[in-house]
Amino acid sequence: MAAASARPFGTGAQRLDLLAYVVLAAALVVGAFAFHHSRQMVEQDITKTLTGHAEHMREALVMRLQAYDELARGFRGLYYSVPNLDSARFTRYAESLDLAEHLPSVHSISFARRVPHAEIDAFVDSVRRQDQRGPVDTRHFSVHPPGARSEYWVTEHVWPGRANEMLGFDLGADAARRAAIERARDTGRPTASGPLRIVGDRMEKPGYALRFPVYASGVSLA
């Protein structure tokens, strides 16, 4: 009788164990599904957040580039309206824009003129005779680095005064700069340089030079 009564009890225990395993398996399946679903939701939230940040950065970059473009177009219009622009007028125009407030990322603005070799001496003399009432002293203006070249792309005007070491610098003497200038000249579109070291920047952050072409008034772009 004892053996006979023990068998039903043992069978019930096995059923309870089996039910426990089934419940445990179901719990694990539900837990795994919940974990997978939660992970998908987190990943979607992260993706949406990153996408939003990326879109915001893209829009900010587009707006910044548009501001640079408008700034360059303003200076180009200045050259068209004042053919014999000197450093004093260039500086007054740049300072009137209050760039430190509206475009603080602009470190400097410069204008380089293409000068054929045959005209370089006359060009240097004309710069030295400019109006000296501005903050830039051009009485000792010279082209550097030295050397005879078929043509020069000489920095004639520069703002602000802390960038005066660029005055007279021939951008065409460097192959990378010359390539960017010629690309802007031939396409009519602005071109960007690679990362540059900004002289005088205490943070030593890399900078970039955006070059915009300015054509002689009345000359066919073809």
Side-chain angles (χ1 to χ4, degrees), residues 6 20 24-25 33 41 117 146 178 192 194 199 212:
L24 177 61
F33 174 78
M41 293 182 63
H117 176 75
R178 186 172 64 252
V199 177
F212 295 77

Side-chain angles (χ1 to χ4, degrees), residues 73-88:
R73 290 179 184 275
F75 274 92
R76 184 162 59 186
L78 177 66
Y79 279 94
Y80 288 153
S81 60
V82 186
N84 298 318
L85 187 69
D86 56 26
S87 294

Side-chain angles (χ1 to χ4, degrees), residues 126-206:
S126 68
V127 175
R128 290 177 177 176
R129 290 186 284 104
Q130 284 184 6
D131 186 352
Q132 300 300 324
R133 290 175 295 179
V136 180
D137 185 357
T138 60
R139 289 175 296 178
H140 305 289
F141 179 87
S142 62
V143 177
H144 58 93
R149 293 175 281 275
S150 61
E151 62 178 5
Y152 305 81
W153 300 84
V154 187
T155 304
E156 181 181 2
H157 301 138
V158 64
W159 173 90
R162 66 172 182 267
N164 279 349
E165 68 275 0
M166 286 295 296
L167 195 65
F169 182 70
D170 177 18
L171 299 175
D174 177 77
R177 288 189 176 96
R178 186 172 64 252
I181 292 171
E182 291 175 346
R183 187 163 61 251
R185 175 200 63 191
D186 296 341
T187 63
R189 296 192 296 270
T191 61
S193 70
L196 301 173
R197 183 180 67 87
I198 300 178
V199 177
D201 183 12
R202 297 178 181 179
M203 301 297 292
E204 297 184 352
K205 295 181 295 184

